[in-house]
Amino acid sequence: MRYTGAVVRTHVYKRVWTANEGPLSEFIHFHHEMVVIKESPEKVMFFCEIPPPEGGQTPLVPSFRVTERMLEEFPEAVEEFEAKGLKYTITALSTNDTSSIRGKGWEDAFGTPDKAEAERRAKAVGMDLEWLPGGGVKTIMAPRALTKVFDGRKGRRMWFNTVVGLHGKETSSATLADGTEIPETFVKRCEQIIEEESIQFKWEKGDVLFLDNMAVLHGRRTSLPPRKVLVAICK
């Protein structure tokens, strides 16, 4: 399974890639891997080659707990947003920008410099493209679910979205599928709940971490360099 997404990675070997190569000074929000596209990997495997001297933990959250708590505090909003669906947009340059945690250029992301071919490949994973002056592109993904229930996971309703990570950012947005803004109070409280439910995985050299991508949200704490973690995904 090939990585598809907005983050800069280096291909290492077969299905092995580097983790997000964006600045270590930036926190990577909790997410399910490749949640914005039609088909997400079921498993994510990490390997620590170089642990950071300080910080850089991988925080983990059981996704169903976020859904449970959001339903407790925002029952009507959760069901309304679920019914309407979500829309994500991410703006990308044509070439990679390693100064950003979402700096992958569209040519790298789609594996081609040809716009028509990029549109075809984007459509295959459920994206629409809007070309921008200067060679950039806006990727549009809608509708997307707020929560999902997957087989073999006790019928739990997972918080299978990246609203907190994309909402109101400089190069991205998360709204309802019809373009309606998601209230800031909803997003901020969700962010707080995710933090409250998180545990921290501190890396040591040689550590291997297996995640059920359907059930666990993960992120990246800020750290001092160097930090090198490799990652592989599979169905």
Side-chain angles (χ1 to χ4, degrees):
M1 189 174 191
R2 188 182 189 278
Y3 254 110
T4 301
V7 306
V8 177
R9 304 178 186 274
T10 299
H11 184 228
V12 178
Y13 180 72
K14 291 188 176 180
R15 66 174 64 184
V16 179
W17 300 73
T18 57
N20 192 323
E21 294 181 11
L24 295 174
S25 58
E26 292 190 44
F27 170 63
I28 296 177
H29 287 276
F30 294 85
H31 60 283
H32 293 277
E33 205 66 45
M34 293 165 57
V35 69
V36 300
I37 66 172
K38 280 185 175 179
E39 187 177 23
S40 304
E42 288 194 10
K43 301 293 186 293
V44 181
M45 295 153 281
F46 296 97
F47 171 77
C48 182
E49 186 170 321
I50 303 174
E54 181 180 317
Q57 302 94 333
T58 293
L60 308 169
V61 173
S63 193
F64 78 95
R65 282 292 298 145
V66 184
T67 307
E68 288 180 344
R69 292 189 58 185
M70 289 297 287
L71 279 168
E72 289 172 1
E73 298 191 28
F74 302 93
E76 294 181 358
V78 168
E79 299 303 352
E80 177 190 352
F81 299 169
E82 186 74 88
K84 291 183 175 179
L86 304 174
K87 177 169 72 174
Y88 303 121
T89 67
I90 300 174
T91 301
L93 302 174
S94 60
T95 56
N96 290 346
D97 175 14
T98 55
S99 68
S100 170
I101 58 172
R102 294 190 191 90
K104 180 178 282 190
W106 65 263
E107 293 183 17
D108 187 7
F110 298 113
T112 178
D114 182 80
K115 290 184 177 181
E117 179 61 18
E119 289 178 359
R120 187 190 69 79
R121 296 180 184 184
K123 187 69 69 175
V125 294
M127 295 181 184
D128 291 318
L129 302 184
E130 179 182 311
W131 299 104
L132 304 174
V137 68
K138 178 186 287 186
T139 59
I140 304 166
M141 295 143 283
R144 293 294 187 268
L146 184 73
T147 68
K148 285 189 177 182
V149 177
F150 298 99
D151 291 340
R153 292 164 180 87
K154 301 182 179 180
R156 288 168 168 167
R157 193 172 170 186
M158 305 301 178
W159 193 251
F160 210 72
N161 67 77
T162 186
V163 167
V164 173
L166 296 184
H167 182 269
K169 304 300 188 293
E170 184 177 354
T171 60
S172 68
S173 68
T175 65
L176 299 186
D178 62 6
T180 303
E181 289 293 330
I182 299 172
E184 188 73 18
T185 52
F186 182 94
V187 178
K188 288 297 184 184
R189 183 57 185 140
C190 180
E191 184 175 15
Q192 291 169 352
I193 287 171
I194 291 173
E195 280 290 352
E196 290 166 6
E197 293 291 334
S198 70
I199 61 171
Q200 317 307 313
F201 186 86
K202 183 179 179 180
W203 291 104
E204 295 184 6
K205 184 177 177 61
D207 279 348
V208 176
L209 177 63
F210 288 81
L211 293 184
D212 180 349
N213 189 49
M214 305 289 99
V216 180
L217 292 150
H218 69 278
R220 187 193 72 187
R221 299 294 182 195
T222 60
S223 76
L224 296 177
R227 178 188 190 271
K228 187 173 184 181
V229 174
L230 305 181
V231 60
I233 56 174
C234 65
K235 292 299 293 178

